[in-house]
Amino acid sequence: MDELNKPYNPKDHEDKLYKEWEEAGYFNPDNFPVSQDTGSKIQVPRFCMVIPPPNITGSLHMGHALNSTIQDILVRYHRMKGFKTLWLPGTDHAGIATQYVVEKELKKEGKTRFDLGREEFLKRVWEWRDKYGHIILDQFKKLGASCDWSRTRFTLDPEYTKAVETAFLHYHKKGLIYQANRVVNWCSRCATSLSDLEAEYKEEEAELIFIKYPLDSARGKPLTDASDYIIVATTRPETMLGDAAVAVNPKDERYKNLIGKKINLPIQNREIPIIADDSVDMEFGTGAVKVTPAHDVADFEIHERHNLPIYQVIDEKGRMTEEAKFCVGLKTKECREKVVEELDKLGLIEKREKFIHNIAKCYRCDTVIEPLISKQWFLKMKDLAAKAKAEVENGNIKFHPENFAKTYLDWLGNIRDWSISRQLWWGHKIPLDGVDDVLDTWFSSALWPFATLGWPRAESRGSDLETFYPTQVLSTARDIINLWVSRMIFSGLEFTGKKPFSDVIIHATVLNKEGKRMSKSLGTGIDPLKLIEEFGADATRFALIWQAMGGQDIKWQQEAVMAGKKFLNKMWNATRFVMKQNENYKSPYFAEAPQGKQFTISKPDAKEKINQDILEKFEETKKTTEELIKTYEFGPALHLLYEFFWHDFCDNYLEESKKMESAETSETLLYVLTGTIKLLHPFIPFITEAIWGKINKENKKHLIVESW
RNA sequence: GGGCGUUUAGCUCAGUGGUAGAGCGUUUCGUUGACAUCGAAAAGGCCAUAGGUUCGAUCCCUAUAACGCCCACCA
């Protein structure tokens, strides 16, 4: 027999085996499964998952590693169970994220995208994509992901772009898309609008400034009497230049007699009214609110109710407009200082207070978001959301763990129309003549489960769309439940009339030892590629799944990798013992296998109780493992297999077996060992395949396509 | 401001309506031909706090606290 080196060394096997699998075409469901007898393709049930397409700017982090392992377990399990199994990979063009990365690169050359112009800039982004866009997929391969790479998709592929256009035109024709002037989240650095979900709120200390607004009747007089002015509080004093009114609550006794009176807006010297509006909170600040319709969502709504004029004082690049005569061209922050200084000079600052509040920032470049009025495209969400909501409520789509359904349902239940246009260059152009805007990157990823399978081409017999859609399971991170999952569900229902998948797995978040989010910029992240390099992909996968219990967040423990590494070694050494026993007893399995004959190890008809017992325990373990995989409890499944293999099989049975060596015993050892190797293959594919190759060296068939 | 989750051995986590388990760590013993990346054994927990339901709760209910996450237009 081949020498099994004493310690198991993943480097001797992992890359080599991956290449063997890939070259044999095992990942491609066009090739497998085939009939055991005739070798021809057969009709079998299908199993399909689409990978959450990583951004082309991405590089493998622990979340990807965990998610890929989870998906690979399901895919390998179903493949071994004889399903026609497709795991479809690909990448997302990631409009804003990629554009940001390339713009940063340009900045080093002292240029902006505007210097290059649209066409030239896009050329540059494509170059970037061709150079770096595939890196993350190679990293998935390192981990052992058995995706069908021949079907790799990209959201800006011509065919995919066709799907996006079809979707847009469908909505448009149906009257679900409209244009409107609204106050939207605006990132001045990216110079684009953002959806509500793309704004990230961070708690920061700010200053709440109380400003005296003189009543018109007191114009020109020193403000000695409190009845000569009204005080408003704001964290953004520069926006006062765009004020259209001051609003108070109609129930507020303090201001009742002021409603309808006029104010002389300082600096601008413009007359604005004091109005009554129910939305004003009497408890906050002074109970009087300055209303800036162009730069605040709530104020815009007040403007609609009271028919106020709009004064836009901040432009698309975050600079003050002509309207803000006092500070034209200044950045908002500079203008803020100048305004406060001026108000102070005029004796109009009542007081300044420290104030902790949430500041909205761009989720890609972290720039403070300025709400800004602008003309955008919107998708009407009401009906789409209702259908998507029903699909989960009636149990057609299930979340695992199920409490995440609440996140989904709550969002859809309070949904507002989706602003789908972006003023970026990298993305799908809105298909109407003369429009420069592109679509929200999530508009295209919402079509992923069916656009990757060929939609909107007609469903011909045998097409991927017909064969694999709807898919079965989607596994992803919890922070994109609304951003992505919900949108795939309503898109799937709208365009195919079918749910895109039946089960949604929301995997654990991998935190660092301190229980904090791993952050690349803070250097608190653990690089899975380094783990793979040092300990191998199997040990890395083991550690991830070992710690993933019940969807709870994982506080990463490096010790789990060591536990995995030791477990692999244990398996390796047990194999050597089992093979030796079988050779000693001239087991038929180690005789020359007849050419082309299937290598199967059948269950021994054991007479000895000790052998019967371990066989029984094995069957029990197999049954429970399958149940756990079917309910997506991968952590418990791995713990069970670990327990069984190490303690029941090695510590107890194998030790006892030494006292009663026999042909029956050696065959039992081999049966249980190989059986357990199969159960473990989805979790730790490399070592199990390597062991299989040692035992079954005459046969060319790999474990990856053996049946359970 | 809402909502959700967590709180069990030194650490990270399982688990069950009847007085608790794993991995790692610690201690002791073991160099018998699968494995020292090992084996055998041991120590170590009033299962966050306070009430309630129950014959009985770590597990069910209520409240509290701490930590974490998500959502939300309080200027």
PDB file of all heavy atoms in Angstrom, chain B residues 32-43:
ATOM      1  P     U B  32       3.906   2.952  24.345  1.00  0.00           P
ATOM      2  OP1   U B  32       4.131   3.892  23.294  1.00  0.00           O
ATOM      3  OP2   U B  32       2.568   2.794  24.887  1.00  0.00           O
ATOM      4  O5'   U B  32       4.459   1.549  23.855  1.00  0.00           O
ATOM      5  C5'   U B  32       4.625   0.468  24.722  1.00  0.00           C
ATOM      6  C4'   U B  32       4.030  -0.767  24.103  1.00  0.00           C
ATOM      7  O4'   U B  32       3.105  -1.315  25.051  1.00  0.00           O
ATOM      8  C3'   U B  32       3.210  -0.489  22.848  1.00  0.00           C
ATOM      9  O3'   U B  32       3.991  -0.712  21.694  1.00  0.00           O
ATOM     10  C2'   U B  32       2.084  -1.487  22.961  1.00  0.00           C
ATOM     11  O2'   U B  32       2.447  -2.730  22.419  1.00  0.00           O
ATOM     12  C1'   U B  32       1.867  -1.589  24.447  1.00  0.00           C
ATOM     13  N1    U B  32       0.896  -0.670  25.084  1.00  0.00           N
ATOM     14  C2    U B  32      -0.027   0.098  24.362  1.00  0.00           C
ATOM     15  O2    U B  32      -0.123   0.089  23.156  1.00  0.00           O
ATOM     16  N3    U B  32      -0.836   0.912  25.124  1.00  0.00           N
ATOM     17  C4    U B  32      -0.845   1.026  26.486  1.00  0.00           C
ATOM     18  O4    U B  32      -1.636   1.784  27.035  1.00  0.00           O
ATOM     19  C5    U B  32       0.113   0.210  27.163  1.00  0.00           C
ATOM     20  C6    U B  32       0.913  -0.594  26.467  1.00  0.00           C
ATOM     21  P     G B  33       4.160   0.378  20.565  1.00  0.00           P
ATOM     22  OP1   G B  33       5.325   0.003  19.750  1.00  0.00           O
ATOM     23  OP2   G B  33       4.187   1.675  21.247  1.00  0.00           O
ATOM     24  O5'   G B  33       2.850   0.279  19.681  1.00  0.00           O
ATOM     25  C5'   G B  33       2.615   1.237  18.643  1.00  0.00           C
ATOM     26  C4'   G B  33       2.483   0.565  17.305  1.00  0.00           C
ATOM     27  O4'   G B  33       3.601  -0.330  17.108  1.00  0.00           O
ATOM     28  C3'   G B  33       1.258  -0.338  17.195  1.00  0.00           C
ATOM     29  O3'   G B  33       0.130   0.385  16.777  1.00  0.00           O
ATOM     30  C2'   G B  33       1.708  -1.317  16.115  1.00  0.00           C
ATOM     31  O2'   G B  33       1.667  -0.765  14.835  1.00  0.00           O
ATOM     32  C1'   G B  33       3.145  -1.538  16.530  1.00  0.00           C
ATOM     33  N9    G B  33       3.283  -2.616  17.523  1.00  0.00           N
ATOM     34  C8    G B  33       3.939  -2.550  18.726  1.00  0.00           C
ATOM     35  N7    G B  33       3.882  -3.684  19.415  1.00  0.00           N
ATOM     36  C5    G B  33       3.155  -4.531  18.597  1.00  0.00           C
ATOM     37  C6    G B  33       2.775  -5.868  18.799  1.00  0.00           C
ATOM     38  O6    G B  33       3.008  -6.608  19.768  1.00  0.00           O
ATOM     39  N1    G B  33       2.040  -6.352  17.726  1.00  0.00           N
ATOM     40  C2    G B  33       1.716  -5.626  16.616  1.00  0.00           C
ATOM     41  N2    G B  33       0.993  -6.258  15.697  1.00  0.00           N
ATOM     42  N3    G B  33       2.051  -4.371  16.411  1.00  0.00           N
ATOM     43  C4    G B  33       2.775  -3.892  17.435  1.00  0.00           C
ATOM     44  P     A B  34      -1.255  -0.297  16.367  1.00  0.00           P
ATOM     45  OP1   A B  34      -2.174  -0.230  17.510  1.00  0.00           O
ATOM     46  OP2   A B  34      -1.009  -1.583  15.696  1.00  0.00           O
ATOM     47  O5'   A B  34      -1.766   0.727  15.267  1.00  0.00           O
ATOM     48  C5'   A B  34      -1.037   0.979  14.084  1.00  0.00           C
ATOM     49  C4'   A B  34      -1.316   2.395  13.593  1.00  0.00           C
ATOM     50  O4'   A B  34      -2.742   2.569  13.411  1.00  0.00           O
ATOM     51  C3'   A B  34      -0.898   3.501  14.565  1.00  0.00           C
ATOM     52  O3'   A B  34       0.456   3.844  14.403  1.00  0.00           O
ATOM     53  C2'   A B  34      -1.818   4.640  14.131  1.00  0.00           C
ATOM     54  O2'   A B  34      -1.361   5.228  12.943  1.00  0.00           O
ATOM     55  C1'   A B  34      -3.110   3.873  13.825  1.00  0.00           C
ATOM     56  N9    A B  34      -3.971   3.752  15.002  1.00  0.00           N
ATOM     57  C8    A B  34      -3.964   2.776  15.959  1.00  0.00           C
ATOM     58  N7    A B  34      -4.860   2.943  16.898  1.00  0.00           N
ATOM     59  C5    A B  34      -5.516   4.107  16.534  1.00  0.00           C
ATOM     60  C6    A B  34      -6.574   4.831  17.113  1.00  0.00           C
ATOM     61  N6    A B  34      -7.195   4.456  18.238  1.00  0.00           N
ATOM     62  N1    A B  34      -6.974   5.948  16.497  1.00  0.00           N
ATOM     63  C2    A B  34      -6.357   6.326  15.371  1.00  0.00           C
ATOM     64  N3    A B  34      -5.344   5.729  14.736  1.00  0.00           N
ATOM     65  C4    A B  34      -4.977   4.628  15.359  1.00  0.00           C
ATOM     66  P     C B  35       1.239   4.559  15.589  1.00  0.00           P
ATOM     67  OP1   C B  35       2.619   4.762  15.114  1.00  0.00           O
ATOM     68  OP2   C B  35       0.991   3.794  16.833  1.00  0.00           O
ATOM     69  O5'   C B  35       0.521   5.969  15.738  1.00  0.00           O
ATOM     70  C5'   C B  35       0.783   7.004  14.785  1.00  0.00           C
ATOM     71  C4'   C B  35      -0.119   8.167  15.078  1.00  0.00           C
ATOM     72  O4'   C B  35      -1.498   7.722  15.117  1.00  0.00           O
ATOM     73  C3'   C B  35       0.079   8.821  16.439  1.00  0.00           C
ATOM     74  O3'   C B  35       1.136   9.750  16.406  1.00  0.00           O
ATOM     75  C2'   C B  35      -1.267   9.513  16.644  1.00  0.00           C
ATOM     76  O2'   C B  35      -1.347  10.713  15.908  1.00  0.00           O
ATOM     77  C1'   C B  35      -2.240   8.493  16.040  1.00  0.00           C
ATOM     78  N1    C B  35      -2.818   7.607  17.064  1.00  0.00           N
ATOM     79  C2    C B  35      -4.018   8.001  17.661  1.00  0.00           C
ATOM     80  O2    C B  35      -4.542   9.066  17.324  1.00  0.00           O
ATOM     81  N3    C B  35      -4.572   7.211  18.617  1.00  0.00           N
ATOM     82  C4    C B  35      -3.966   6.073  18.969  1.00  0.00           C
ATOM     83  N4    C B  35      -4.546   5.326  19.909  1.00  0.00           N
ATOM     84  C5    C B  35      -2.745   5.643  18.360  1.00  0.00           C
ATOM     85  C6    C B  35      -2.210   6.437  17.422  1.00  0.00           C
ATOM     86  P     A B  36       2.202   9.785  17.495  1.00  0.00           P
ATOM     87  OP1   A B  36       3.439  10.399  16.958  1.00  0.00           O
ATOM     88  OP2   A B  36       2.241   8.436  18.039  1.00  0.00           O
ATOM     89  O5'   A B  36       1.600  10.742  18.634  1.00  0.00           O
ATOM     90  C5'   A B  36       1.119  12.080  18.353  1.00  0.00           C
ATOM     91  C4'   A B  36       1.368  12.916  19.614  1.00  0.00           C
ATOM     92  O4'   A B  36       1.018  12.109  20.735  1.00  0.00           O
ATOM     93  C3'   A B  36       2.832  13.324  19.774  1.00  0.00           C
ATOM     94  O3'   A B  36       3.014  14.721  19.766  1.00  0.00           O
ATOM     95  C2'   A B  36       3.285  12.746  21.083  1.00  0.00           C
ATOM     96  O2'   A B  36       3.820  13.733  21.950  1.00  0.00           O
ATOM     97  C1'   A B  36       1.993  12.242  21.732  1.00  0.00           C
ATOM     98  N9    A B  36       2.143  10.944  22.415  1.00  0.00           N
ATOM     99  C8    A B  36       1.900   9.679  21.959  1.00  0.00           C
ATOM    100  N7    A B  36       2.085   8.730  22.841  1.00  0.00           N
ATOM    101  C5    A B  36       2.485   9.424  23.969  1.00  0.00           C
ATOM    102  C6    A B  36       2.835   9.006  25.257  1.00  0.00           C
ATOM    103  N6    A B  36       2.841   7.725  25.621  1.00  0.00           N
ATOM    104  N1    A B  36       3.187   9.947  26.152  1.00  0.00           N
ATOM    105  C2    A B  36       3.174  11.234  25.761  1.00  0.00           C
ATOM    106  N3    A B  36       2.854  11.762  24.574  1.00  0.00           N
ATOM    107  C4    A B  36       2.517  10.788  23.721  1.00  0.00           C
ATOM    108  P     U B  37       2.502  15.822  18.830  1.00  0.00           P
ATOM    109  OP1   U B  37       3.024  15.339  17.552  1.00  0.00           O
ATOM    110  OP2   U B  37       2.920  17.098  19.390  1.00  0.00           O
ATOM    111  O5'   U B  37       0.894  15.797  18.778  1.00  0.00           O
ATOM    112  C5'   U B  37       0.091  16.826  19.455  1.00  0.00           C
ATOM    113  C4'   U B  37      -1.255  16.774  18.790  1.00  0.00           C
ATOM    114  O4'   U B  37      -1.143  17.460  17.526  1.00  0.00           O
ATOM    115  C3'   U B  37      -1.628  15.319  18.510  1.00  0.00           C
ATOM    116  O3'   U B  37      -2.617  14.769  19.377  1.00  0.00           O
ATOM    117  C2'   U B  37      -1.893  15.224  16.987  1.00  0.00           C
ATOM    118  O2'   U B  37      -3.203  14.809  16.692  1.00  0.00           O
ATOM    119  C1'   U B  37      -1.645  16.636  16.486  1.00  0.00           C
ATOM    120  N1    U B  37      -0.758  16.735  15.337  1.00  0.00           N
ATOM    121  C2    U B  37      -1.360  16.995  14.119  1.00  0.00           C
ATOM    122  O2    U B  37      -2.561  17.096  14.004  1.00  0.00           O
ATOM    123  N3    U B  37      -0.501  17.109  13.062  1.00  0.00           N
ATOM    124  C4    U B  37       0.875  17.028  13.101  1.00  0.00           C
ATOM    125  O4    U B  37       1.518  17.174  12.069  1.00  0.00           O
ATOM    126  C5    U B  37       1.424  16.757  14.387  1.00  0.00           C
ATOM    127  C6    U B  37       0.610  16.628  15.430  1.00  0.00           C
ATOM    128  P     C B  38      -3.767  15.028  20.051  1.00  0.00           P
ATOM    129  OP1   C B  38      -4.657  15.722  19.115  1.00  0.00           O
ATOM    130  OP2   C B  38      -3.460  15.588  21.367  1.00  0.00           O
ATOM    131  O5'   C B  38      -4.316  13.564  20.282  1.00  0.00           O
ATOM    132  C5'   C B  38      -4.225  12.598  19.250  1.00  0.00           C
ATOM    133  C4'   C B  38      -3.817  11.258  19.833  1.00  0.00           C
ATOM    134  O4'   C B  38      -2.415  11.263  20.205  1.00  0.00           O
ATOM    135  C3'   C B  38      -4.500  10.869  21.132  1.00  0.00           C
ATOM    136  O3'   C B  38      -5.814  10.415  20.918  1.00  0.00           O
ATOM    137  C2'   C B  38      -3.579   9.776  21.635  1.00  0.00           C
ATOM    138  O2'   C B  38      -3.748   8.593  20.904  1.00  0.00           O
ATOM    139  C1'   C B  38      -2.215  10.380  21.292  1.00  0.00           C
ATOM    140  N1    C B  38      -1.671  11.128  22.435  1.00  0.00           N
ATOM    141  C2    C B  38      -1.186  10.411  23.549  1.00  0.00           C
ATOM    142  O2    C B  38      -1.239   9.169  23.524  1.00  0.00           O
ATOM    143  N3    C B  38      -0.685  11.079  24.606  1.00  0.00           N
ATOM    144  C4    C B  38      -0.660  12.406  24.592  1.00  0.00           C
ATOM    145  N4    C B  38      -0.155  13.021  25.652  1.00  0.00           N
ATOM    146  C5    C B  38      -1.141  13.170  23.484  1.00  0.00           C
ATOM    147  C6    C B  38      -1.634  12.492  22.432  1.00  0.00           C
ATOM    148  P     G B  39      -6.919  10.668  22.013  1.00  0.00           P
ATOM    149  OP1   G B  39      -8.211  10.367  21.392  1.00  0.00           O
ATOM    150  OP2   G B  39      -6.698  11.953  22.686  1.00  0.00           O
ATOM    151  O5'   G B  39      -6.569   9.516  23.056  1.00  0.00           O
ATOM    152  C5'   G B  39      -6.658   8.171  22.656  1.00  0.00           C
ATOM    153  C4'   G B  39      -6.185   7.276  23.770  1.00  0.00           C
ATOM    154  O4'   G B  39      -4.786   7.557  24.036  1.00  0.00           O
ATOM    155  C3'   G B  39      -6.870   7.500  25.102  1.00  0.00           C
ATOM    156  O3'   G B  39      -8.119   6.840  25.168  1.00  0.00           O
ATOM    157  C2'   G B  39      -5.850   6.901  26.052  1.00  0.00           C
ATOM    158  O2'   G B  39      -5.888   5.489  26.024  1.00  0.00           O
ATOM    159  C1'   G B  39      -4.536   7.379  25.422  1.00  0.00           C
ATOM    160  N9    G B  39      -4.095   8.653  25.996  1.00  0.00           N
ATOM    161  C8    G B  39      -4.094   9.897  25.400  1.00  0.00           C
ATOM    162  N7    G B  39      -3.612  10.846  26.174  1.00  0.00           N
ATOM    163  C5    G B  39      -3.279  10.182  27.338  1.00  0.00           C
ATOM    164  C6    G B  39      -2.709  10.691  28.549  1.00  0.00           C
ATOM    165  O6    G B  39      -2.383  11.845  28.824  1.00  0.00           O
ATOM    166  N1    G B  39      -2.536   9.682  29.497  1.00  0.00           N
ATOM    167  C2    G B  39      -2.865   8.359  29.300  1.00  0.00           C
ATOM    168  N2    G B  39      -2.626   7.541  30.309  1.00  0.00           N
ATOM    169  N3    G B  39      -3.385   7.876  28.180  1.00  0.00           N
ATOM    170  C4    G B  39      -3.563   8.837  27.252  1.00  0.00           C
ATOM    171  P     A B  40      -9.243   7.380  26.123  1.00  0.00           P
ATOM    172  OP1   A B  40     -10.458   6.570  25.851  1.00  0.00           O
ATOM    173  OP2   A B  40      -9.305   8.852  26.049  1.00  0.00           O
ATOM    174  O5'   A B  40      -8.677   7.009  27.556  1.00  0.00           O
ATOM    175  C5'   A B  40      -8.624   5.655  27.975  1.00  0.00           C
ATOM    176  C4'   A B  40      -8.118   5.588  29.388  1.00  0.00           C
ATOM    177  O4'   A B  40      -6.769   6.121  29.432  1.00  0.00           O
ATOM    178  C3'   A B  40      -8.883   6.440  30.388  1.00  0.00           C
ATOM    179  O3'   A B  40     -10.042   5.785  30.860  1.00  0.00           O
ATOM    180  C2'   A B  40      -7.843   6.625  31.485  1.00  0.00           C
ATOM    181  O2'   A B  40      -7.724   5.467  32.286  1.00  0.00           O
ATOM    182  C1'   A B  40      -6.567   6.795  30.656  1.00  0.00           C
ATOM    183  N9    A B  40      -6.264   8.203  30.373  1.00  0.00           N
ATOM    184  C8    A B  40      -6.495   8.908  29.212  1.00  0.00           C
ATOM    185  N7    A B  40      -6.101  10.163  29.270  1.00  0.00           N
ATOM    186  C5    A B  40      -5.581  10.288  30.551  1.00  0.00           C
ATOM    187  C6    A B  40      -4.994  11.368  31.231  1.00  0.00           C
ATOM    188  N6    A B  40      -4.828  12.579  30.698  1.00  0.00           N
ATOM    189  N1    A B  40      -4.584  11.161  32.506  1.00  0.00           N
ATOM    190  C2    A B  40      -4.746   9.941  33.040  1.00  0.00           C
ATOM    191  N3    A B  40      -5.274   8.850  32.493  1.00  0.00           N
ATOM    192  C4    A B  40      -5.673   9.084  31.248  1.00  0.00           C
ATOM    193  P     A B  41     -11.323   6.666  31.269  1.00  0.00           P
ATOM    194  OP1   A B  41     -12.329   5.698  31.770  1.00  0.00           O
ATOM    195  OP2   A B  41     -11.666   7.579  30.168  1.00  0.00           O
ATOM    196  O5'   A B  41     -10.791   7.556  32.494  1.00  0.00           O
ATOM    197  C5'   A B  41     -10.767   7.018  33.799  1.00  0.00           C
ATOM    198  C4'   A B  41      -9.964   7.899  34.721  1.00  0.00           C
ATOM    199  O4'   A B  41      -8.770   8.372  34.055  1.00  0.00           O
ATOM    200  C3'   A B  41     -10.607   9.196  35.192  1.00  0.00           C
ATOM    201  O3'   A B  41     -11.589   8.990  36.184  1.00  0.00           O
ATOM    202  C2'   A B  41      -9.391   9.901  35.759  1.00  0.00           C
ATOM    203  O2'   A B  41      -9.010   9.366  37.004  1.00  0.00           O
ATOM    204  C1'   A B  41      -8.323   9.548  34.718  1.00  0.00           C
ATOM    205  N9    A B  41      -8.159  10.633  33.743  1.00  0.00           N
ATOM    206  C8    A B  41      -8.560  10.699  32.434  1.00  0.00           C
ATOM    207  N7    A B  41      -8.254  11.831  31.842  1.00  0.00           N
ATOM    208  C5    A B  41      -7.623  12.563  32.822  1.00  0.00           C
ATOM    209  C6    A B  41      -7.052  13.854  32.840  1.00  0.00           C
ATOM    210  N6    A B  41      -7.050  14.656  31.784  1.00  0.00           N
ATOM    211  N1    A B  41      -6.503  14.280  33.991  1.00  0.00           N
ATOM    212  C2    A B  41      -6.509  13.469  35.055  1.00  0.00           C
ATOM    213  N3    A B  41      -7.012  12.233  35.157  1.00  0.00           N
ATOM    214  C4    A B  41      -7.548  11.845  34.001  1.00  0.00           C
ATOM    215  P     A B  42     -12.769  10.058  36.392  1.00  0.00           P
ATOM    216  OP1   A B  42     -13.691   9.507  37.403  1.00  0.00           O
ATOM    217  OP2   A B  42     -13.255  10.473  35.071  1.00  0.00           O
ATOM    218  O5'   A B  42     -11.976  11.288  37.037  1.00  0.00           O
ATOM    219  C5'   A B  42     -11.381  11.161  38.321  1.00  0.00           C
ATOM    220  C4'   A B  42     -10.628  12.410  38.656  1.00  0.00           C
ATOM    221  O4'   A B  42      -9.647  12.676  37.628  1.00  0.00           O
ATOM    222  C3'   A B  42     -11.450  13.687  38.699  1.00  0.00           C
ATOM    223  O3'   A B  42     -12.141  13.815  39.923  1.00  0.00           O
ATOM    224  C2'   A B  42     -10.356  14.744  38.566  1.00  0.00           C
ATOM    225  O2'   A B  42      -9.675  14.959  39.778  1.00  0.00           O
ATOM    226  C1'   A B  42      -9.393  14.075  37.576  1.00  0.00           C
ATOM    227  N9    A B  42      -9.578  14.556  36.196  1.00  0.00           N
ATOM    228  C8    A B  42     -10.198  13.926  35.149  1.00  0.00           C
ATOM    229  N7    A B  42     -10.179  14.610  34.028  1.00  0.00           N
ATOM    230  C5    A B  42      -9.505  15.775  34.369  1.00  0.00           C
ATOM    231  C6    A B  42      -9.141  16.920  33.623  1.00  0.00           C
ATOM    232  N6    A B  42      -9.428  17.084  32.336  1.00  0.00           N
ATOM    233  N1    A B  42      -8.483  17.898  34.267  1.00  0.00           N
ATOM    234  C2    A B  42      -8.186  17.740  35.558  1.00  0.00           C
ATOM    235  N3    A B  42      -8.464  16.706  36.367  1.00  0.00           N
ATOM    236  C4    A B  42      -9.124  15.752  35.699  1.00  0.00           C
ATOM    237  P     A B  43     -13.458  14.734  40.018  1.00  0.00           P
ATOM    238  OP1   A B  43     -14.190  14.370  41.251  1.00  0.00           O
ATOM    239  OP2   A B  43     -14.142  14.700  38.711  1.00  0.00           O
ATOM    240  O5'   A B  43     -12.828  16.182  40.216  1.00  0.00           O
ATOM    241  C5'   A B  43     -11.979  16.457  41.339  1.00  0.00           C
ATOM    242  C4'   A B  43     -11.268  17.754  41.111  1.00  0.00           C
ATOM    243  O4'   A B  43     -10.479  17.663  39.903  1.00  0.00           O
ATOM    244  C3'   A B  43     -12.194  18.944  40.859  1.00  0.00           C
ATOM    245  O3'   A B  43     -12.642  19.503  42.069  1.00  0.00           O
ATOM    246  C2'   A B  43     -11.276  19.896  40.096  1.00  0.00           C
ATOM    247  O2'   A B  43     -10.401  20.585  40.954  1.00  0.00           O
ATOM    248  C1'   A B  43     -10.469  18.915  39.239  1.00  0.00           C
ATOM    249  N9    A B  43     -11.031  18.746  37.891  1.00  0.00           N
ATOM    250  C8    A B  43     -11.887  17.768  37.445  1.00  0.00           C
ATOM    251  N7    A B  43     -12.188  17.874  36.176  1.00  0.00           N
ATOM    252  C5    A B  43     -11.497  18.991  35.760  1.00  0.00           C
ATOM    253  C6    A B  43     -11.394  19.642  34.512  1.00  0.00           C
ATOM    254  N6    A B  43     -12.021  19.226  33.404  1.00  0.00           N
ATOM    255  N1    A B  43     -10.617  20.737  34.434  1.00  0.00           N
ATOM    256  C2    A B  43      -9.981  21.153  35.541  1.00  0.00           C
ATOM    257  N3    A B  43      -9.991  20.627  36.767  1.00  0.00           N
ATOM    258  C4    A B  43     -10.774  19.537  36.808  1.00  0.00           C
TER     259        A B  43
END
